[in-house]
Amino acid sequence: MPTPFGIRRRIKRLLGLPVDAPTTAPEADAGPQITLIVVGPNGQEQSLDAPAGSTISGASMKLQRPISTGCPDSTCGTCHVEILEGGENVSPTDGRERATLKTQGMPDGQRLSCRATVTSGTVKVRAFELM
Ligand code: FES
């Protein structure tokens, strides 16, 4: 059974236990696909294909080390990322995202990966914290 924010996976990783593949991400279907490339804090790249319209953090749940998240309502800022390539393929910033980015003091150009969806093509992001 999936846990919120990947808590079970985090605890297993901290204890040095094997981590199961995430089961909460949407499965690929026959619809349009996007490619997401996530560059971690240490420069390591991970990539995957996911259904178009997926949030960046939601799609990243299929990765071995997903983007960290910390809230259910897009207010904490934990999931912030920098769009490195393919910004034209990401949904526009909405009011909730703008408010959180401002409240959390995020620099211009950063996005909340739990709000930003990938509409088409390929998007490459820098994540500041991975699970
Ligand atoms: S998970 Fe909290 S703002 Fe995205």
Side-chain angles (χ1 to χ4, degrees):
M1 175 177 204
T3 55
F5 319 123
I7 291 170
R8 185 176 296 139
R9 287 166 29 113
R10 284 183 183 195
I11 292 171
K12 282 184 171 181
R13 199 168 279 122
L14 288 171
L15 296 174
L17 299 172
V19 178
D20 301 329
T23 58
T24 57
E27 294 299 320
D29 59 20
Q33 297 285 298
I34 57 92
T35 299
L36 176 65
I37 303 167
V38 177
V39 180
N42 62 2
Q44 178 189 9
E45 286 192 17
Q46 307 175 86
S47 66
L48 67 113
D49 292 334
S54 300
T55 62
I56 294 172
S57 63
S60 84
M61 290 298 163
K62 291 168 63 178
L63 296 171
Q64 180 68 26
R65 301 228 26 225
I67 296 169
S68 290
T69 56
C71 70
D73 57 359
S74 304
T75 56
C76 72
T78 302
C79 67
H80 69 112
V81 295
E82 177 184 3
I83 307 292
L84 300 174
E85 296 173 17
E88 69 278 9
N89 297 328
V90 179
S91 62
T93 309
D94 63 16
R96 162 73 74 175
E97 183 177 3
R98 273 192 297 279
T100 298
L101 290 169
K102 183 176 179 183
T103 301
Q104 299 295 334
M106 302 294 177
D108 288 345
Q110 293 198 6
R111 300 291 306 269
L112 297 180
S113 65
C114 67
R115 297 296 287 188
T117 62
V118 182
T119 56
S120 62
T122 299
V123 173
K124 184 175 185 177
V125 301
R126 178 183 317 283
F128 298 94
E129 188 177 337
L130 300 176
M131 290 187 197

